[in-house]
Amino acid sequence: PFLIVSSLNCESEKPRNIMIQGVEHIALCAEDLPSLIAWYQRIFQVDLVKEGEAGPSFLIFPDGFLIEFLEASGQAPPVANDREKGLRHIALSVTSLEEMVGSLKEEGVEVVDDFRTVPNGTKLFGFRDIEGNLIQLVERKVPPGGASA
């Protein structure tokens, strides 16, 4: 149901060999690894999984998305402005944004972009985790560029 704005194979009659299936995981490097993992588990109510005894730690979300947690080897770079080059935020899909926002505010998170609804009905909320990583929560009723699913 997405509106394809540009496609490399749009005029080809050959079937597309799409090998990419989606985003599997992202990795966060933490100054205080146990505290950051515990915070994410408490806030998002997700399970901790490991790849073997000495393997990396992941939190697994209901749709299978993973966040990997690694020990930081040095100081973090300064927090980027909203439109500077590079990765900006982690966006997580939620079913009831108003409820989640209430819980997060009770938790005392640093709000970066307070709850708002954009013209297409998508609801957004931005905040920082305990180590300053920017997280955006999204409740989307209509996929980008398209009609209802």
Side-chain angles (χ1 to χ4, degrees):
F2 285 101
L3 171 66
I4 297 176
V5 178
S6 176
S7 174
L8 293 176
N9 294 327
C10 61
E11 294 181 20
S12 171
E13 292 188 23
K14 261 185 358 185
R16 293 170 72 179
N17 183 12
I18 300 175
M19 299 174 106
I20 301 296
Q21 296 179 6
V23 176
E24 203 265 351
H25 79 274
I26 60 149
L28 292 178
C29 293
E31 207 169 51
D32 182 347
L33 195 58
S35 293
L36 190 60
I37 290 171
W39 186 87
Y40 272 80
Q41 278 193 282
R42 187 178 73 253
I43 295 296
F44 298 119
Q45 302 290 300
V46 291
D47 293 326
L48 178 66
V49 295
K50 288 185 76 73
E51 283 189 339
E53 285 294 315
S57 297
F58 295 89
L59 292 179
I60 186 165
F61 287 76
D63 66 354
F65 174 69
L66 300 162
I67 297 179
E68 179 180 12
F69 291 86
L70 305 166
E71 188 93 30
S73 63
Q75 291 298 314
V79 176
N81 292 328
D82 189 38
R83 298 290 179 189
E84 287 184 13
K85 183 179 172 184
L87 183 65
R88 281 292 70 78
H89 61 263
I90 303 165
L92 301 173
S93 178
V94 299
T95 56
S96 177
L97 188 56
E98 287 95 338
E99 186 178 329
M100 187 87 193
V101 166
S103 298
L104 289 166
K105 286 183 174 182
E106 284 177 20
E107 184 74 29
V109 299
E110 178 190 343
V111 176
V112 174
D113 184 18
D114 211 346
F115 177 87
R116 64 188 168 104
T117 303
V118 296
N120 72 354
T122 299
K123 298 173 183 177
L124 304 169
F125 179 74
F127 65 101
R128 293 196 184 282
D129 70 19
I130 58 172
E131 291 207 3
N133 299 298
L134 186 56
I135 302 166
Q136 182 182 63
L137 300 181
V138 180
E139 183 180 337
R140 192 183 301 277
K141 300 296 183 205
V142 178
S148 298

